[in-house]
Amino acid sequence: QVQLAESGGGLVQPGGSLRLSCAASGRILSIYTVGWYRQAPGKQRELVAFIRGDGNTNYVDSVKGRFTIARDGAKNILYLQMNSLKPDDTAVYCCNFVPSVLPWGQGTQGTVSS
């Protein structure tokens, strides 16, 4: 079964940046649609960005212009570059297929606070 492992979270001040990584156990990133999801405390999980097999990307309105999703097919790594971070971006970030057919991993915590 495909496994995904997230990393790169941390604590940053508002306006700061984080770069998240998602390492896949197989060569799937350049074939299937994969995305980054997040879940803030007390809120439902939401899909914030995804990239299709053909390279087209989509973002939820709240992160457009600030977040960039990218992949390295050779290394089987999915990235999420997050700039101009806001306290509302605080959440546990996870990667998964779109739709999310894999069991959820632990994710990586991103905290935006002064």
Side-chain angles (χ1 to χ4, degrees):
Q1 183 179 0
V2 173
Q3 293 183 327
L4 303 172
E6 305 93 347
S7 62
L11 171 63
V12 297
Q13 293 185 342
S17 298
L18 285 173
R19 188 193 194 202
L20 308 183
S21 298
C22 170
S25 61
R27 288 188 173 273
I28 62 166
L29 298 182
S30 57
I31 299 174
Y32 300 104
T33 300
V34 289
W36 283 98
Y37 300 76
R38 69 183 179 187
Q39 187 167 23
K43 295 186 178 180
Q44 288 188 331
R45 183 178 285 115
E46 67 170 340
L47 176 62
V48 297
F50 64 89
I51 182 167
R52 301 182 188 277
D54 62 7
N56 286 328
T57 58
N58 289 83
Y59 301 90
V60 68
D61 286 347
S62 60
V63 307
K64 283 181 180 177
R66 301 189 297 121
F67 290 13
T68 303
I69 188 170
R71 67 187 180 205
D72 185 328
K75 296 181 179 179
N76 303 318
I77 299 177
L78 181 71
Y79 299 101
L80 185 67
Q81 178 67 45
M82 307 189 295
N83 298 328
S84 302
L85 284 163
K86 306 175 182 179
D88 284 349
D89 295 318
T90 296
V92 175
Y93 288 77
C94 296
C95 56
N96 207 320
F97 289 107
V98 179
S100 55
V101 297
L102 292 177
W104 293 103
Q106 291 186 338
T108 186
Q109 175 72 47
T111 303
V112 185
S113 175
S114 55

